[in-house]
Amino acid sequence: MILSLAAVLGLGLLGWHLGPAQPFLCGVVLPLSSLAVFLAGFSAKILVWASAPAPFPIALTAGQQQSLDRIPPRRLEAPPGPFWVACRLGAEALCFRSLLRNSRARETPEGDLAYQPVPWLWLAAIVFHYTLFLIVLRHLRFVLDPAPWGLGLILSVDGFFHLGSPRLYLSDGGFLLALAFLLGRRLWEPRLRCLSLPGDYFPLLLLAALAGSGLYLRHGGQEDIAALKTFAMGLVSFRPTAPVGAGPAFFAHLAYASALLLCFPCGKLMHMGGIFLSPTKAMPNNSRARRHVNPWNRPREFQSYAQYEDAYRTSMAAAGLPLERPPAEEDAAGGRARQIHVPTSRS
Amino acid sequence: MSPRPAPDASTQGPRAEQPRARRLETPPVFSPGSFCHPARQETVAALGLPHPHPWQPTEEDWHLPENWEAILRAAFQDRLRKYRSLRVFMDICARCGACADKCHFFLGTGDPKNMPVLRAELLRSVYRGEFTLAGRLLGKAAGARTLSKTIVKEWFAYFYRCTECRRCALFCPYGIDTAEITMIARELLLELGLGANWILEPVANCARSGNHLGIRPQVFQEMVQALCDDIREITGIRLTPPCNEKGHEVLFIAPSGDLYTEPGVYTFMGYLLLFQAIGLDYTLSTYASEGGNFGLFASAELAAKVNAKIYAEAGRLGVKWILGGECGHMWRMAHQYMDSMNGPAPAGLEVPRNPVTGTVFRHAASTKMIHIAEFSADLLLHRALVLDPARNDHLIVTFHDSCNPARAMGLLEEPRIVLRAACNHFVEMPENTIRERTFCCGSGAGLNGDEIMALRMQGGLPRGHALRHVQRHNGVNTLACICAIDRNSLRPLADYWAPGVSVAGAHELLGNALVLPGEGERTTDLRREPLPPGGAP
Ligand code: SF4
Ligand code: SF4
């Protein structure tokens, strides 16, 4: 936690001081190279995952399988085919369905454990991810000219409460609240504190700093929005110009954004892509209906029936079990085998 | 038998967590009752596994092979190449904590490393330290560790405190399955010659004699005969189940536990009665006399070896399809692994078809193997069985979903159809402890040895509490299940957490209720306990 906090503060200071002095380095080279690292790293990770085979169909079922006609299956929970797998993944990625299942163990007055649903983590996660998405979307207006109609609509809904000038966005508030919740539970819940790594605090703090510097730019600083827009347009059209005249806060903001892009592919943030390749959720529960081929499977050596019969022929004959080869043929002890009646089918 | 925890020490579970414990820095403790006995050198050698050697978890020196680090690194790398699951699960955990209090071992012990996320982190930290750039550069700051002998001990401690129940995966937003991680970690340990005797001994037996206990063919036959004698005394009907015979329609395979231990034997009697009632054309096999597969708890390789006999025998006997008895991990195997490991099914096999109702079980079109609960449920839905459920009127029954059929198959309704038909008094345990959210018995994945009874009772806490709840409020006196391990492990669990509740297989209760053509008046149930008054037809 302390470590992550220090790292984030350091990053900001770096951007703040270095930025105005080296506008081209901090305004153009850093963001563009971070973007390149992000894109390369993200796709490399996905490729590495996808290139590893999924040898066994280990779908996780969370409801009734499709079996008998008269038992209604829960296809979303135990997907019988690719279509339902896609639906299940969609529900996971868009609605965080499994998280909605979350419960907390509590002791009842009788001393038993009971489990109550707790929606808070789900709610925070939903707000967090969707507002983050909106905020990223909002940034599009810096690089799209004219801003598309849909974006304008989002902006006006988002700024619905005409509070402050420039208007405060709902999504900013939601994002900060959710962020505070997610960070707070890591700090206050003993269990979470015990399992959190520096790598868990760092992205949260980074996002907090990113949001903070962004808010300052919009509401606190006197940035020249038109100039920033020209700069951003230059970046995306690959005719970059250094953002001359931008304030230190802007460079701090940019440094945070670059750091986020840089650390994305090598940390837990990759969960964004992983969910679609997670075999327990991304495989259908039809393993008995369709054969799933394991590419590295190889024939096994195991005790064959013939070997088994060789090992137990006398005992099997004594039990009246049918044999492929009667005991007399090979039994060295001879005498014993002859006392045993050769079995016939008894059914 | 090892010491059991005092009841109130165990109920402390969720409160007794030790939040201040430094994450991964506390070394593992091998206290009595919490660890499996090590596999014997001869057993490891007999299975052809690497580095058989004598060792003891409680001793300082585990006598690891000289180049143990290189072995582990190579094995880990190999699994990363072979399993997408491992690759993805090593990378994407967000440590959101949603899985933390979903594991029965965490709830029962309060040990932070029993939180699924930290259990996985034991492996993940090494993955970061050994195989990722960030981990190598940043070390501890990136949550990375490099291999050490303490870590090997920790792995043995905590990956043999996971029953591969997959409850954590259900709650994880990315479906991270700690069971999968446990399976792979156990494989890694096996590369160093470290295994659990309770798991490897049955595997070695299976390889030799066809079943976990090493029952020889003659004895197998005698045991079946003894059950048939009991059936004759109870129902007046004489059964002669065919064994190893060619030319029948169905090969029936049960977990061998149903043949030699109570209360499994009553379930086996139930199977036989069912087959008799509908005149099923089936055979048993002594060669493939084990549906269970402890190899699955050791490595994919051993699982495939143990399982291979099933298709081989079905092909040799020329049956049309395979029917499998009530067993949890046997069905994890049959449903998710068998076809990929040892398939495709032998050429002579056909898509299973119920000879009585005509139902074609298309959901098993490739594997050609169906679960007996699916089969019975189909019969019951077609009203093809004559039942007298009043014979079970002395029982108030609840049902424990075994982890594997519930979360790796989706077999939820079928056993309930059987139980509701066979019993007049059926109640469910609380909602969050059944169906896909079922809690493990605490003894799955080979953790059902007596030496870890204390651990098992702690892991059984959530199930025990749910059972105790319906015992108090609904007068439940019978816990039904569809798993041979459960039939053994739920007994001590019930004795400990809810004394007075007995354990029965679903098909035992069905066998009680079945009215067979030509049977005499029954005066006792399959356990030879008197039927409730008015229970006879
Ligand atoms: S629920 Fe999944 S992502 Fe969250 S901590 Fe557990 S394993 Fe990690
Ligand atoms: S698979 Fe089951 S026993 Fe293992 S960590 Fe997950 S919940 Fe716990």
Side-chain angles (χ1 to χ4, degrees), chain A residues 8-291:
Chain A
V8 169
L9 286 179
L11 258 170
L13 281 176
L14 206 70
W16 184 279
H17 285 296
L18 206 59
Q22 296 273 358
F24 192 77
L25 178 69
C26 296
V28 178
V29 178
L30 183 69
L32 281 187
S33 49
S34 310
L35 189 66
V37 169
F38 165 73
L39 290 176
F42 193 90
S43 18
K45 252 285 123 85
I46 299 278
L47 272 181
V48 165
W49 288 342
S51 65
F56 305 116
I58 54 165
L60 182 86
T61 54
Q64 174 61 37
Q65 64 169 348
Q66 186 163 49
S67 57
L68 304 174
D69 286 346
R70 300 196 195 179
I71 302 179
R74 304 271 314 270
R75 296 196 183 87
L76 199 57
E77 310 287 11
F83 171 77
W84 288 100
V85 168
C87 295
R88 187 188 205 192
L89 286 178
E92 285 295 350
L94 299 177
C95 317
F96 304 173
R97 240 167 127 251
S98 294
L99 215 48
L100 191 52
R101 250 187 217 113
N102 201 9
S103 64
R104 177 182 294 273
R106 282 270 160 73
E107 209 162 315
T108 65
E110 279 175 325
D112 290 346
L113 277 191
Y115 314 88
Q116 298 157 338
V118 278
W120 305 121
L121 179 59
W122 173 82
L123 195 69
I126 285 275
V127 171
F128 179 78
H129 286 87
Y130 276 94
T131 52
L132 184 60
F133 178 68
L134 271 183
I135 292 170
V136 171
L137 215 60
R138 243 170 37 204
H139 279 72
L140 285 180
R141 82 198 138 107
F142 289 111
V143 296
L144 294 177
D145 200 20
W149 172 83
L151 196 59
L153 189 72
I154 292 174
L155 287 179
S156 60
V157 173
D158 203 359
F160 180 71
F161 296 108
H162 293 248
L163 283 175
S165 169
R167 271 189 238 159
L168 277 171
Y169 285 123
L170 275 183
S171 51
D172 289 344
F175 181 72
L176 287 178
L177 276 180
L179 193 76
F181 177 86
L182 292 179
L183 199 57
R185 67 192 277 276
R186 282 204 193 272
L187 292 175
W188 276 289
E189 262 195 51
R191 220 177 265 159
L192 265 292
R193 201 167 53 218
C194 163
L195 61 81
S196 294
L197 291 177
D200 299 318
Y201 296 112
F202 183 69
L204 285 175
L205 291 172
L206 199 57
L207 282 168
L210 193 58
S213 56
L215 280 174
Y216 175 76
L217 283 180
R218 182 169 162 79
H219 299 282
Q222 287 88 42
E223 293 294 332
D224 178 357
I225 299 290
L228 287 185
K229 184 152 183 166
T230 322
F231 159 69
M233 298 286 290
L235 266 190
V236 291
S237 57
F238 294 103
R239 279 189 303 274
T241 48
V244 198
F250 174 74
F251 285 103
H253 190 63
L254 215 53
Y256 286 135
S258 307
L260 190 66
L261 288 174
L262 277 177
C263 76
F264 200 102
C266 54
K268 65 173 208 171
L269 300 179
M270 279 303 290
H271 64 249
M272 173 183 173
I275 166 89
F276 297 103
L277 283 168
S278 174
T280 53
K281 296 268 159 100
M283 294 180 102
N285 180 40
N286 62 358
S287 36
R288 273 189 292 160
R290 291 177 68 106
R291 178 155 193 262

Side-chain angles (χ1 to χ4, degrees), chain A residues 99 195 271, chain B residues 92-100 116-117 120 124 168 171-178:
Chain A
L99 215 48
L195 61 81
H271 64 249
Chain B
I92 63 172
C93 174
R95 281 164 302 281
C96 70
C99 59
V117 40
R124 206 178 274 129
C168 46
F171 292 88
C172 173
Y174 322 121
I176 295 179
D177 183 2
T178 311

Side-chain angles (χ1 to χ4, degrees), chain B residues 187-216:
Chain B
E187 280 193 15
L188 300 185
L189 289 169
L190 223 48
E191 303 263 352
L192 300 178
L194 307 175
N197 206 53
W198 187 264
I199 293 172
L200 291 185
E201 193 85 46
V203 178
N205 285 338
C206 238
R208 203 175 52 242
S209 65
N211 53 61
H212 285 157
L213 270 220
I215 305 170
R216 300 158 63 88

Side-chain angles (χ1 to χ4, degrees), chain B residues 41-122:
Chain B
Q41 185 174 0
E42 307 85 82
T43 311
V44 176
L47 286 168
L49 297 171
H51 306 294
H53 67 279
W55 62 287
Q56 274 304 332
T58 42
E59 281 169 13
E60 182 55 35
D61 187 358
W62 284 18
H63 309 291
L64 299 182
E66 196 97 327
N67 54 339
W68 64 273
E69 280 168 297
I71 296 174
L72 273 189
R73 232 172 261 137
F76 204 152
Q77 186 78 63
D78 175 60
R79 303 310 187 281
L80 284 170
R81 244 193 355 237
K82 280 181 172 168
Y83 292 91
R84 180 183 303 162
S85 51
L86 184 65
R87 272 245 169 249
V88 173
F89 297 164
M90 287 294 107
D91 281 328
I92 63 172
C93 174
R95 281 164 302 281
C96 70
C99 59
D101 60 348
K102 308 305 181 287
C103 176
H104 50 284
F105 280 121
F106 175 64
L107 291 172
T109 62
D111 181 345
K113 284 188 207 169
N114 276 332
M115 295 194 271
V117 40
L118 279 199
R119 194 189 310 285
E121 207 64 26
L122 300 180

Side-chain angles (χ1 to χ4, degrees), chain A residues 58 67 194 280 292 303 324, chain B residues 23 166 175 287 316 340 414:
Chain A
I58 54 165
S67 57
C194 163
T280 53
H292 177 92
Q303 185 191 36
E324 299 273 346
Chain B
R23 291 183 64 254
R166 310 179 101 200
Y287 168 61
R316 182 185 78 90
S340 298
E414 291 88 344

